[in-house]
Amino acid sequence: MGNSVLILGIGNVLWADEGFGVRCVERMAARWSFPDTVTVLDGGTQGLYLLPFLEAADSLIVFDAIDYGLRPGTMKTVEGDEVPSFLGAKKMSLHQTGFQEVIATARLMEYCPENLFLIGCQPEELEDFGGGLRDVTAAQIDPAISIALDKLKDWGITPVPGHGDDSLLADRAILRDAYETGRPSEQEACRTGDDRFFPEGA
């Protein structure tokens, strides 16, 4: 097994718990420093633009919000050939179909990572545009990272505590603390649509 590892968070931070995967890689990079053979990436909703990163990796760890049909906040891991089917188990958003296609395309071109490991968390809320993670989902970030660290150890990789490479993460303006603390309250901003177009009394 090669030792090049891609740690990928996918999802859309604009839709509440959809941002789980992205928030996991943010915290991971903030707390752990990895060898040069490990890349920590906020994959967001980039879809096929992620192909070059998969091509360069021997092993892949993915953090994502996955609808397993379980209790909100429940985590489940999936490994190997089962990963693509779980990514497409239920289409919650465009990014899941997109990443399933990324995996399929990488396999077709014969440069899919040899080892695939998915860490998924059952979301509580998705229909909240501009919303942050719900508490039950946010509480699973650290446990998810612990699972990833254990898998990395199995692969012979041991990070050290400290700030890691965050060059492939989102702009600081939409990192979790800045994004969630800067969000207007429900009294200041309508979160379900433009209230100018709501019927009177709705």
Side-chain angles (χ1 to χ4, degrees):
M1 182 182 84
N3 63 354
S4 176
V5 177
L6 175 62
I7 303 174
L8 178 66
I10 56 176
N12 190 335
V13 298
L14 298 178
W15 288 104
D17 289 334
E18 258 276 283
F20 174 76
V22 172
R23 299 315 187 193
C24 284
V25 292
E26 283 178 10
R27 186 170 298 179
M28 206 166 190
R31 295 185 177 179
W32 295 96
S33 179
F34 296 92
D36 292 341
T37 54
V38 177
T39 299
V40 180
L41 173 66
D42 169 2
T45 58
Q46 295 182 64
L48 294 173
Y49 289 104
L50 297 172
L51 278 172
F53 292 97
L54 268 67
E55 183 178 9
D58 300 302
S59 301
L60 171 67
I61 293 176
V62 181
F63 294 101
D64 194 11
I66 300 289
D67 188 353
Y68 295 113
L70 303 173
R71 186 178 70 253
T74 302
M75 279 204 308
K76 182 175 179 178
T77 60
V78 181
E79 197 160 6
D81 291 339
E82 294 185 358
V83 169
S85 61
F86 271 90
L87 285 168
K90 182 175 182 181
K91 189 167 74 170
M92 296 192 303
S93 67
L94 292 176
H95 89 264
Q96 285 196 338
T97 301
F99 195 67
Q100 190 180 34
E101 290 170 351
V102 171
I103 294 288
T105 303
R107 284 183 161 173
L108 184 66
M109 300 178 74
E110 298 185 351
Y111 56 61
C112 189
E114 178 183 353
N115 303 288
L116 303 176
F117 189 67
L118 169 65
I119 304 171
C121 180
Q122 176 73 38
E124 178 179 56
E125 178 61 63
L126 300 173
E127 301 300 323
D128 182 13
F129 183 70
L133 297 183
R134 296 305 187 256
D135 290 344
V136 69
T137 306
Q140 297 304 321
I141 293 176
D142 285 338
I145 290 173
S146 293
I147 292 171
L149 293 174
D150 286 343
K151 178 55 65 175
L152 289 169
K153 185 177 180 181
D154 291 345
W155 292 343
I157 296 169
T158 305
V160 296
H163 199 95
D165 181 6
D166 60 5
S167 61
L168 295 176
L169 300 186
D171 186 274
R172 294 189 180 277
I174 57 171
L175 296 182
R176 187 178 174 211
D177 287 346
Y179 177 76
E180 294 189 2
T181 58
R183 186 189 190 204
S185 70
E186 291 188 54
Q187 290 70 40
E188 295 173 303
C190 177
R191 297 180 182 176
T192 56
D194 190 327
D195 57 8
R196 293 174 299 175
F197 299 98
F198 289 164
E200 193 69 31

Coordinates of all heavy atoms in Angstrom, one line a residue, residues 30-76:
A30 N -6.7 22.3 12.2 CA -6.4 23.3 13.3 C -5.7 22.6 14.5 O -5.0 23.3 15.3 CB -7.7 23.9 13.8
R31 N -5.8 21.3 14.6 CA -5.3 20.6 15.8 C -4.2 19.6 15.6 O -3.6 19.2 16.5 CB -6.5 19.9 16.5 CG -7.5 20.9 17.1 CD -8.6 20.2 17.9 NE -9.5 21.1 18.4 CZ -10.6 20.8 19.2 NH1 -10.8 19.5 19.4 NH2 -11.4 21.7 19.7
W32 N -4.1 19.2 14.3 CA -3.1 18.1 14.0 C -2.2 18.5 12.8 O -2.7 19.1 11.8 CB -3.8 16.8 13.7 CG -4.5 16.3 14.9 CD1 -5.9 16.5 15.2 CD2 -4.0 15.5 16.0 NE1 -6.2 15.8 16.4 CE2 -5.1 15.3 16.9 CE3 -2.7 15.1 16.3 CZ2 -4.9 14.5 18.0 CZ3 -2.5 14.3 17.4 CH2 -3.6 14.1 18.3
S33 N -0.9 18.2 12.9 CA 0.0 18.4 11.9 C 0.4 17.1 11.3 O 0.8 16.1 12.0 CB 1.2 19.1 12.4 OG 2.2 19.3 11.4
F34 N 0.3 16.9 10.0 CA 0.5 15.6 9.3 C 1.8 15.6 8.5 O 2.3 16.7 8.1 CB -0.6 15.3 8.4 CG -2.0 15.2 9.1 CD1 -2.8 16.2 9.3 CD2 -2.3 13.9 9.6 CE1 -4.0 16.1 10.0 CE2 -3.5 13.7 10.3 CZ -4.4 14.8 10.5
P35 N 2.3 14.4 8.2 CA 3.5 14.3 7.3 C 3.1 14.9 5.9 O 1.9 15.0 5.6 CB 3.7 12.8 7.2 CG 3.1 12.2 8.4 CD 1.9 13.1 8.7
D36 N 4.1 15.1 5.1 CA 3.9 15.7 3.8 C 3.1 14.8 2.9 O 2.6 15.2 1.8 CB 5.2 16.0 3.1 CG 5.9 17.2 3.8 OD1 5.3 17.9 4.5 OD2 7.2 17.3 3.6
T37 N 3.0 13.5 3.2 CA 2.3 12.5 2.4 C 0.8 12.6 2.6 O 0.0 11.9 1.9 CB 2.7 11.1 2.8 OG1 2.6 10.9 4.2 CG2 4.2 10.9 2.3
V38 N 0.3 13.4 3.6 CA -1.1 13.6 3.9 C -1.6 14.9 3.4 O -1.0 16.0 3.7 CB -1.3 13.4 5.4 CG1 -2.8 13.6 5.7 CG2 -0.9 12.0 5.8
T39 N -2.7 15.0 2.7 CA -3.3 16.2 2.3 C -4.7 16.3 2.9 O -5.5 15.4 2.9 CB -3.5 16.2 0.7 OG1 -2.3 16.1 0.1 CG2 -4.2 17.5 0.3
V40 N -5.0 17.5 3.6 CA -6.3 17.7 4.2 C -7.0 18.8 3.3 O -6.5 19.9 3.1 CB -6.1 18.3 5.6 CG1 -7.4 18.5 6.3 CG2 -5.3 17.3 6.5
L41 N -8.2 18.4 2.8 CA -8.8 19.2 1.8 C -10.3 19.4 2.1 O -11.0 18.5 2.4 CB -8.7 18.5 0.4 CG -9.5 19.1 -0.7 CD1 -8.9 20.5 -1.1 CD2 -9.4 18.1 -2.0
D42 N -10.7 20.7 2.0 CA -12.1 21.0 2.0 C -12.6 20.9 0.6 O -12.3 21.7 -0.3 CB -12.3 22.5 2.5 CG -13.7 23.0 2.3 OD1 -14.6 22.3 1.8 OD2 -13.9 24.2 2.6
G43 N -13.3 19.8 0.3 CA -13.8 19.5 -1.0 C -15.1 20.2 -1.4 O -15.5 20.2 -2.5
G44 N -15.8 20.7 -0.3 CA -17.0 21.4 -0.6 C -18.0 20.7 -1.5 O -18.3 19.5 -1.3
T45 N -18.3 21.3 -2.6 CA -19.2 20.8 -3.6 C -18.5 20.8 -5.0 O -19.1 20.9 -6.0 CB -20.5 21.6 -3.7 OG1 -20.2 22.9 -4.0 CG2 -21.3 21.5 -2.4
Q46 N -17.2 20.5 -5.0 CA -16.4 20.7 -6.2 C -16.6 19.6 -7.2 O -16.2 19.7 -8.3 CB -14.9 20.8 -5.8 CG -14.6 22.1 -5.0 CD -13.1 22.2 -4.7 OE1 -12.3 22.3 -5.6 NE2 -12.8 22.1 -3.4
G47 N -17.1 18.5 -6.8 CA -17.4 17.4 -7.8 C -16.2 16.9 -8.5 O -15.1 16.6 -7.9
L48 N -16.3 16.9 -9.8 CA -15.2 16.4 -10.7 C -13.9 17.2 -10.6 O -12.8 16.7 -11.0 CB -15.7 16.3 -12.1 CG -16.8 15.3 -12.4 CD1 -17.3 15.5 -13.8 CD2 -16.3 13.9 -12.1
Y49 N -13.9 18.4 -10.0 CA -12.7 19.1 -9.8 C -11.8 18.4 -8.8 O -10.6 18.8 -8.7 CB -13.0 20.5 -9.4 CG -13.5 21.4 -10.5 CD1 -14.9 21.7 -10.5 CD2 -12.7 21.9 -11.5 CE1 -15.4 22.5 -11.5 CE2 -13.2 22.7 -12.5 CZ -14.6 23.0 -12.5 OH -15.1 23.8 -13.5
L50 N -12.3 17.5 -8.1 CA -11.6 16.7 -7.0 C -10.7 15.6 -7.6 O -9.9 15.0 -7.0 CB -12.5 16.2 -6.0 CG -13.2 17.2 -5.2 CD1 -14.3 16.6 -4.3 CD2 -12.3 18.1 -4.3
L51 N -11.0 15.3 -8.9 CA -10.3 14.1 -9.5 C -8.8 14.2 -9.4 O -8.2 13.1 -9.1 CB -10.7 14.0 -11.0 CG -12.0 13.3 -11.3 CD1 -12.4 13.4 -12.7 CD2 -12.0 11.8 -10.8
P52 N -8.1 15.3 -9.6 CA -6.6 15.3 -9.5 C -6.2 14.9 -8.1 O -5.1 14.3 -8.0 CB -6.3 16.7 -9.9 CG -7.4 17.2 -10.7 CD -8.6 16.6 -10.1
F53 N -6.9 15.3 -7.1 CA -6.5 14.9 -5.7 C -6.7 13.4 -5.5 O -5.9 12.8 -4.8 CB -7.4 15.7 -4.7 CG -7.1 17.2 -4.7 CD1 -8.0 18.0 -5.5 CD2 -6.1 17.7 -4.0 CE1 -7.7 19.4 -5.5 CE2 -5.8 19.1 -4.0 CZ -6.6 19.9 -4.8
L54 N -7.7 12.8 -6.1 CA -7.9 11.4 -5.9 C -6.8 10.6 -6.7 O -6.3 9.6 -6.2 CB -9.3 10.9 -6.5 CG -10.4 10.9 -5.4 CD1 -10.7 12.3 -4.9 CD2 -11.6 10.2 -6.0
E55 N -6.4 11.2 -7.8 CA -5.4 10.5 -8.6 C -4.1 10.5 -7.9 O -3.3 9.5 -8.0 CB -5.2 11.3 -10.0 CG -4.2 10.7 -10.9 CD -4.1 11.4 -12.2 OE1 -4.6 12.5 -12.3 OE2 -3.4 10.9 -13.1
A56 N -3.8 11.5 -7.1 CA -2.5 11.6 -6.4 C -2.5 10.7 -5.1 O -1.5 10.6 -4.4 CB -2.2 13.0 -6.0
A57 N -3.7 10.2 -4.7 CA -3.8 9.6 -3.4 C -3.8 8.0 -3.5 O -4.5 7.5 -4.4 CB -5.1 10.0 -2.6
D58 N -3.2 7.4 -2.5 CA -3.3 5.9 -2.4 C -4.4 5.5 -1.5 O -5.0 4.5 -1.7 CB -2.0 5.3 -1.8 CG -0.8 5.7 -2.7 OD1 -0.8 5.3 -3.9 OD2 0.2 6.3 -2.2
S59 N -4.7 6.4 -0.5 CA -5.8 6.1 0.4 C -6.7 7.4 0.6 O -6.1 8.5 0.6 CB -5.2 5.6 1.7 OG -4.5 4.5 1.6
L60 N -7.9 7.2 0.9 CA -8.9 8.3 1.0 C -9.7 8.1 2.2 O -10.4 7.1 2.4 CB -9.7 8.4 -0.3 CG -10.9 9.4 -0.2 CD1 -10.4 10.8 -0.2 CD2 -11.8 9.1 -1.4
I61 N -9.8 9.2 3.1 CA -10.8 9.3 4.2 C -11.7 10.4 3.8 O -11.3 11.5 3.5 CB -10.1 9.5 5.5 CG1 -9.2 8.3 5.9 CG2 -11.1 9.8 6.6 CD1 -8.4 8.6 7.2
V62 N -13.0 10.1 3.9 CA -14.0 11.1 3.6 C -14.9 11.3 4.8 O -15.4 10.4 5.4 CB -14.9 10.7 2.4 CG1 -16.0 11.8 2.1 CG2 -14.1 10.4 1.2
F63 N -15.1 12.6 5.2 CA -16.1 13.0 6.2 C -17.3 13.6 5.4 O -17.1 14.4 4.5 CB -15.6 14.1 7.1 CG -14.4 13.7 7.9 CD1 -13.1 14.1 7.6 CD2 -14.6 13.1 9.1 CE1 -12.0 13.8 8.4 CE2 -13.6 12.8 10.0 CZ -12.3 13.1 9.6
D64 N -18.5 13.2 5.8 CA -19.7 13.7 5.1 C -20.9 13.5 6.0 O -20.9 12.7 6.9 CB -19.9 12.9 3.8 CG -20.9 13.5 2.9 OD1 -21.3 14.7 3.1 OD2 -21.2 12.9 1.9
A65 N -22.0 14.3 5.7 CA -23.3 14.1 6.3 C -24.0 13.0 5.4 O -24.1 13.3 4.2 CB -24.1 15.4 6.3
I66 N -24.4 11.9 6.0 CA -25.0 10.8 5.2 C -26.4 10.5 5.8 O -26.5 10.3 7.1 CB -24.1 9.6 5.3 CG1 -22.7 9.9 4.7 CG2 -24.8 8.4 4.5 CD1 -22.7 10.1 3.2
D67 N -27.4 10.4 5.0 CA -28.7 9.9 5.5 C -28.7 8.4 5.5 O -29.0 7.8 4.5 CB -29.8 10.5 4.6 CG -31.2 10.3 5.2 OD1 -31.2 9.5 6.2 OD2 -32.1 10.8 4.7
Y68 N -28.4 7.9 6.7 CA -28.5 6.4 6.9 C -29.9 6.0 7.3 O -30.1 4.8 7.5 CB -27.5 6.0 8.0 CG -26.0 6.2 7.7 CD1 -25.3 7.1 8.4 CD2 -25.4 5.4 6.7 CE1 -23.9 7.3 8.1 CE2 -24.0 5.6 6.5 CZ -23.3 6.5 7.2 OH -21.9 6.7 6.9
G69 N -30.8 7.0 7.6 CA -32.1 6.6 8.1 C -32.0 6.3 9.6 O -32.9 5.6 10.1
L70 N -31.0 6.9 10.3 CA -30.8 6.6 11.7 C -31.2 7.8 12.5 O -31.6 8.8 12.0 CB -29.4 6.2 11.9 CG -28.9 4.9 11.2 CD1 -27.4 4.7 11.3 CD2 -29.7 3.7 11.6
R71 N -31.0 7.7 13.8 CA -31.2 8.8 14.7 C -30.2 10.0 14.4 O -29.0 9.7 14.2 CB -31.1 8.4 16.2 CG -31.4 9.4 17.2 CD -31.3 8.9 18.6 NE -29.9 8.6 19.0 CZ -29.3 7.4 19.1 NH1 -30.0 6.4 18.8 NH2 -28.1 7.3 19.4
P72 N -30.6 11.2 14.4 CA -29.7 12.3 14.2 C -28.5 12.3 15.1 O -28.6 12.0 16.3 CB -30.6 13.6 14.4 CG -31.9 13.2 14.1 CD -32.0 11.7 14.6
G73 N -27.3 12.5 14.5 CA -26.1 12.5 15.3 C -25.4 11.1 15.3 O -24.3 11.0 15.7
T74 N -26.1 10.1 14.8 CA -25.5 8.7 14.7 C -24.4 8.7 13.7 O -24.6 9.2 12.5 CB -26.6 7.7 14.4 OG1 -27.6 7.7 15.3 CG2 -26.0 6.3 14.3
M75 N -23.3 8.1 14.1 CA -22.2 8.0 13.1 C -22.1 6.6 12.7 O -22.3 5.6 13.4 CB -20.9 8.5 13.7 CG -20.7 10.0 13.7 SD -19.0 10.5 13.8 CE -18.5 9.6 15.2
K76 N -21.6 6.4 11.4 CA -21.4 5.1 10.9 C -20.2 5.2 9.9 O -20.1 6.2 9.2 CB -22.7 4.6 10.2 CG -22.6 3.2 9.6 CD -23.9 2.8 9.0 CE -23.8 1.4 8.4 NZ -25.1 0.9 7.9

